[in-house]
Amino acid sequence: MGALTMESLNKSYGDLRALRDLSMEVRAGEIVGFVGSNGAGKSTTMRIVLGVLEADSGEVRWDGRPVDLDVRRRIGYMPEERGLYPRMKVGDQLVYLARLHGLDTRSARTAMEHWTEVLGIAERRGDEILKLSLGNQQRVQLAAALIHFPEILVLDEPFSGLDPVAVDVMSGVLRDQAAAGVPVLFSSHQLELVEALCDRVGIIKSGSMVAFGGIEELRRTEHRRWVVDGPPAASWVPAVPSARLVSTDGPRSVVEVQGQSADDADQEILRAALAAGAVREFSLLRPSLTELYRHVVSTDVDATEKQAVSA
């Protein structure tokens, strides 16, 4: 399988710039999380991939070739606005959708039975959609995206409204799909889940991709910080000229070092702390994805936003 690539996508609605030269790649067997505030451009990007919207400029490619109707038939898409028929029974609806994707009746029924079993809704096959809980409706919607065994998965807020058990089930399905070589792109506001599940993450702000990479890559900071659980910081931090005490909480201190290589810094801090007493914890502190996201979306208004404000 190849990679799903979005290159320099731009989209405007009148004076509103929804996407600004957005680029992103989802490789075969990779789970990529797409996060951003409401209205940042996540759904617009996904709709362009599906051909529901047309970009003003830029290109979507699959395995190096432009995405056309044939490729889009092989995408499993889960929209943010659910598209199930409320009075149609679960099993009948999934068979119908599978038939629309080109499966014959027997294959469609086999696929329906497989995915309802995997997603834990086999006993609901004879129920109308409107009689299901929101969580089970979500499971049916995912089954609808998977019913034709797609080569690409694009899921808009698939975890919305799910209880922890359903989150675990859906996470397992996405991991299995990635393990089979399917590139998986999904958006979510549940950043802890994104951090735990994804190989790479893209953070979008005002239509622009402001950060994209692996979790550990994104969590690297310009100045490294260490957590030290040991003697009072005041007794040893002054011994490290380039160290700055960030915070203390009882015996735990957070110390930041600037102007030194990482190896030199951690050894100097550890030696100073040990010289002052017993050290119970010494660990590198990196921001969580939630902290990183808050920093990215709440600071450093970019030039395009400034221009929009002044226009």
Side-chain angles (χ1 to χ4, degrees), residues 59-126:
E59 191 173 42
V60 181
R61 296 193 300 272
W62 167 240
D63 199 16
R65 295 183 296 274
V67 170
D68 55 16
L69 180 59
D70 179 63
V71 172
R72 289 186 173 111
R73 287 185 175 131
R74 291 178 271 149
I75 298 176
Y77 177 48
M78 185 173 176
E80 184 177 12
E81 301 84 6
R82 305 311 178 219
L84 301 171
Y85 298 105
R87 293 194 174 276
M88 198 171 183
K89 293 179 180 178
V90 170
D92 293 342
Q93 182 158 181
L94 292 174
V95 169
Y96 170 69
L97 294 172
R99 297 281 287 121
L100 288 180
H101 278 290
L103 278 68
D104 59 46
T105 301
R106 176 176 292 182
S107 297
R109 182 156 293 279
T110 299
M112 179 274 291
E113 291 171 352
H114 170 77
W115 287 117
T116 52
E117 190 70 40
V118 168
L119 290 166
I121 48 174
E123 72 281 3
R124 301 294 189 183
R125 292 170 185 163

Side-chain angles (χ1 to χ4, degrees), residues 50 67 75-76 139 150 152 194 224-225 232 264 271 284 286-287:
L50 267 292
V67 170
I75 298 176
R139 297 188 196 209
I152 311 164
V194 171
R224 291 170 62 128
R225 293 181 175 185
D264 290 342
R271 283 194 297 269
L284 183 64
R286 287 181 175 170

Side-chain angles (χ1 to χ4, degrees), residues 277-288:
V279 175
R280 293 170 291 276
E281 178 187 355
F282 180 68
S283 59
L284 183 64
L285 178 66
R286 287 181 175 170
S288 67

Side-chain angles (χ1 to χ4, degrees), residues 35-49:
V35 301
S37 304
N38 291 329
K42 303 185 299 299
S43 294
T44 296
T45 302
M46 292 183 171
R47 289 167 183 163
I48 289 173
V49 171

